[in-house]
Amino acid sequence: MQYQEKLNVVVIASGRGSNFQALIDAQEKKETPFRIVRLVTDNRDAKAIEKAKKAGIEHHIVERKRFGSRAEYDYALADAVKPEETGLVCLAGYMRILGKSFLDRFDGNVINIHPALLPSFPGLDAQQQALDYGVKISGCTVHFVDEGVDTGKVIIQSAVPVLADDSADSLSLRILEQEHRIYPEAVRLIATGAVQVPGARTKP
Ligand code: GRF
């Protein structure tokens, strides 16, 4: 299938950027209906920056400490993403909660990946939360972002077993493998219109 028009994607990441890399790898395959146009990060030491440079993707750093209020910071972050040119914002290990002054500028076109089967274990240390609870199955979720913590509408999930001798690290690795598979798939579903964005607008 030939895609006439590609969805412009901006990734926001704070750290390692392995999901960002999975999206880069997916777009390098032929006929992917999206293109990553920019990386935005709040952390000048993020490993994701190296990945952007290697892939020839521009990056912008917006540090929280340069802004007084959270609303001012969120507004500057949205400016760096450039709402008028961006069809979809993908959070990939972005370690802050996005406020209304950011979300209002993207009309629901913001998604996130979380390393648990939501609505179980939202927030930080989801893999450790799953181990502490003693669940036998965990996984990952790609979801739309609203003002809550990991509360938006679910797009795709993938499940993995939790093994008796798992540590947070071993479980995280098993989940990460699935994250790298379903995140590009979720972007593809949105780019092709197979999944409707809540509050959708015309895509740039
Ligand atoms: C992933 O586990 C993701 O689910 C969570 O943060 C981690 C980011 O990892 N939101 P990476 O930076 O993509 O490698």
Side-chain angles (χ1 to χ4, degrees), residues 24-137:
I24 294 171
D25 294 345
Q27 81 162 358
E28 284 173 356
K29 289 194 187 123
K30 265 190 174 172
E31 294 175 7
T32 304
F34 62 88
R35 75 165 78 81
I36 305 167
V37 292
R38 194 170 303 110
L39 169 75
V40 175
T41 181
D42 57 333
N43 174 13
R44 61 174 56 256
D45 297 322
K47 293 270 190 300
I49 295 174
E50 297 311 315
K51 295 181 165 76
K53 285 182 180 164
K54 204 165 162 211
I57 295 169
E58 63 174 81
H59 72 276
H60 291 265
I61 302 168
V62 186
E63 289 179 298
R64 175 67 184 90
K65 65 183 180 200
R66 298 191 183 278
F67 300 88
S69 70
R70 187 177 134 190
E72 281 173 293
Y73 165 73
D74 271 358
Y75 204 84
L77 192 73
D79 278 345
V81 175
K82 299 190 184 166
E84 64 289 350
E85 296 171 16
T86 301
L88 183 69
V89 182
C90 293
L91 308 184
Y94 176 58
M95 299 310 287
R96 298 175 189 277
I97 309 293
L98 285 173
K100 195 169 156 47
S101 55
F102 182 96
L103 294 171
D104 280 354
R105 294 177 69 193
F106 294 94
D107 297 332
N109 294 270
V110 184
I111 66 174
N112 180 43
I113 184 142
H114 181 75
L117 294 175
L118 292 171
S120 295
F121 315 127
L124 292 176
D125 300 324
Q127 301 92 334
Q128 188 62 52
Q129 289 187 55
L131 288 176
D132 292 346
Y133 198 92
V135 293
K136 303 301 175 200
I137 294 173

Side-chain angles (χ1 to χ4, degrees), residues 13-22 48 51 91-95 112-116 123 127 139-141 150 172 175-176 179-180 183:
S14 299
R16 178 177 60 180
S18 71
N19 279 288
F20 173 47
Q21 186 66 51
K51 295 181 165 76
L91 308 184
Y94 176 58
M95 299 310 287
N112 180 43
I113 184 142
H114 181 75
Q127 301 92 334
C140 48
T141 305
D150 303 320
S172 298
I175 293 173
L176 202 58
E179 294 185 35
H180 297 164
Y183 212 4

